[in-house]
Amino acid sequence: MPSLQTLGLTATLSVFPLTVLAHHGVSGQFDMSQSYEVTGTITRISLVNPHAYVYFDVADEGGDMTNMRCELTSGSLLRRSGWTEEMFEIGSEITIEGSPDRDDPTTCHMNEITFANGVTANRESTFGEDGTLDVAEREVVRADGTPNIDGNWAVANPRERGGGRPSVTLTDAGEAAIADASPEQNPRFNCQPTNIVMDWVFNGMVNAVEQTETEITLTYGFMDLVRTIHLDGDTPDAIEPSRAGYSVGNWDSDALVVTTTGFDEGWIMAPIGGRAGVLPNSAEAAERPEHPERPEGGRGPQPVKNSTELTVTERFTLSDDGTVLTRDYAFIDPLYLEAPIEGVDEVVLTTDAYRPYDCEDLTNERTE
């Protein structure tokens, strides 16, 4: 494994444009159009979910120390890519090129990190094996004649997954449902699952699939959501509403067709923007230290709620070599949506282990 370069952070270096996307950057917590370099001494590393952080002391011209932190990607994804706590030796120097937090001048979004040994890494860097499975070790078709989707699956490169939020038209009831929406209600900021579609590919976590002739169990790597696709019956009359809902599926030739109902009211697109989980009032904002080059606004795109009338349809298909699982999906909610929200995503077979998410959100650690 290549050694990592020390993170050296200099808090007053030049600002220059940088084109980088991350879910907090898109949401407005970080100003991704700006970048600076800072050098400091590592004091702590937390490889937790949903976001890992490295903490370090930075000295100003007068010798006064400020403890800063920079957000990495999720701890699970870092570990899957070969990152370890040992790379971040306490007391060693690091240099980070990052983008500023819009509200907190002691927090940044890490774009590139250089360790004391001279190794430079970015958010996409991996150390060790890439986890690709040898297809010769696997049967593509099961004994019962159905495609074999049993195993562990993850987005091949979550940062290259294109798209963005689709255009959505809400009904009057859908507009009323989001009238008081705020980031505090975002399930991800409270270590809760959002929905069965978005969480399947969010943050590149490893999902586990267990397949039998009568049911398929999906255990999500993000927020540990578990759902069962029932292959041997119809939807029962009485369902306890939940985030996972109740899924019924059948094999249509080589495609797994799934219909899920029985959802509780929740989010299709959760509210994001400003500081994740915090909307400071004017008095609070006035007391915060001024951040250089801080842009106006920072609110995220329109949130979308689902009602208990939501139906999600999914169609899973397996590639000929059995290594890519494609899902076409649709959110159908006649109460809140004027038209279905449709999309497609892909995950690839991996030998990486499923790991419990064990969410510990440190986003607001310095505002509490």
Side-chain angles (χ1 to χ4, degrees):
M1 182 190 310
S3 54
L4 295 178
Q5 210 176 359
T6 316
L7 297 175
L9 310 175
T10 29
T12 58
L13 295 188
S14 60
V15 176
F16 53 92
L18 186 73
T19 306
V20 178
L21 294 180
H23 62 276
H24 270 329
V26 173
S27 76
Q29 179 182 354
F30 300 102
D31 180 6
M32 304 305 292
S33 69
Q34 305 294 330
S35 182
Y36 60 83
E37 187 176 277
V38 59
T39 297
T41 302
I42 299 175
T43 60
R44 176 184 166 199
I45 178 67
S46 293
L47 297 187
V48 298
N49 293 317
H51 311 106
Y53 288 90
V54 58
Y55 301 76
F56 48 94
D57 285 336
V58 177
D60 62 18
E61 293 180 356
D64 294 329
M65 290 289 184
T66 298
N67 188 252
M68 293 190 64
R69 65 172 190 165
C70 286
E71 181 196 283
L72 314 178
T73 188
S74 73
S76 292
L77 185 56
L78 289 171
R79 293 181 191 280
R80 178 184 161 203
S81 299
W83 296 60
T84 66
E85 286 90 347
E86 288 71 27
M87 294 176 175
F88 299 84
E89 182 180 354
I90 304 304
S92 64
E93 185 180 84
I94 56 169
T95 297
I96 287 181
E97 181 266 295
S99 295
D101 187 290
R102 294 181 187 272
D103 295 308
D104 180 4
T106 67
T107 295
C108 83
H109 177 281
M110 187 278 285
N111 302 320
E112 187 173 271
I113 183 170
T114 300
F115 293 85
N117 58 10
V119 171
T120 296
N122 59 36
R123 297 172 75 90
E124 289 77 31
S125 295
T126 60
F127 301 90
E129 298 299 322
D130 62 6
T132 302
L133 185 66
D134 182 356
V135 297
E137 300 176 4
R138 177 182 178 84
E139 295 292 337
V140 177
V141 179
R142 290 165 48 87
D144 61 8
T146 59
N148 182 16
I149 64 172
D150 192 274
N152 291 350
W153 301 86
V155 176
N157 190 336
R159 294 171 197 86
E160 290 183 358
R161 197 164 47 85
R165 292 194 166 202
S167 176
V168 178
T169 302
L170 302 179
T171 64
D172 290 343
E175 291 283 1
I178 64 168
D180 298 321
S182 68
E184 292 95 328
Q185 300 170 27
N186 190 317
R188 290 172 185 153
F189 302 151
N190 296 284
C191 291
Q192 298 294 322
T194 302
N195 59 63
I196 63 172
V197 172
M198 305 306 181
D199 290 357
W200 178 248
V201 292
F202 190 81
N203 239 9
M205 299 294 100
V206 175
N207 307 309
V209 177
E210 298 178 69
Q211 179 180 3
T212 71
E213 292 186 17
T214 59
E215 65 182 31
I216 299 172
T217 301
L218 310 181
T219 303
Y220 287 47
F222 183 67
M223 296 297 178
D224 303 316
L225 177 70
V226 179
R227 57 185 290 222
T228 299
I229 301 172
H230 302 272
L231 304 176
D232 58 352
D234 297 323
T235 303
D237 294 333
I239 304 172
E240 181 70 26
S242 67
R243 273 295 76 199
Y246 190 93
S247 299
V248 174
N250 65 277
W251 289 101
D252 179 11
S253 184
D254 290 336
L256 175 63
V257 179
V258 183
T259 301
T260 306
T261 55
F263 294 103
D264 54 14
E265 183 159 317
W267 297 100
I268 296 175
M269 300 179 189
I272 51 181
R275 269 192 63 73
V278 176
L279 286 179
N281 59 37
S282 57
E284 292 171 334
E287 294 177 358
R288 289 184 172 173
E290 183 177 355
H291 199 294
E293 305 294 335
R294 178 178 170 182
E296 296 294 329
R299 294 304 301 263
Q302 170 184 274
V304 180
K305 242 190 170 182
N306 72 270
S307 75
T308 56
E309 295 184 23
L310 173 68
T311 296
V312 173
T313 63
E314 299 162 289
R315 185 179 181 89
F316 294 88
T317 53
L318 190 64
S319 63
D320 290 342
D321 65 2
T323 64
V324 180
L325 186 61
T326 301
R327 177 180 64 165
D328 294 88
Y329 62 81
F331 293 93
I332 304 165
D333 191 332
L335 183 59
Y336 285 176
L337 300 178
E338 289 284 3
I341 300 174
E342 300 177 333
V344 59
D345 54 42
E346 290 184 347
V347 289
V348 297
L349 197 63
T350 178
T351 55
D352 290 347
Y354 168 83
R355 299 177 185 273
Y357 197 66
D358 295 334
C359 183
E360 181 185 354
D361 194 351
L362 301 177
T363 301
N364 299 318
E365 177 185 41
R366 296 195 167 181
T367 64
E368 295 174 347

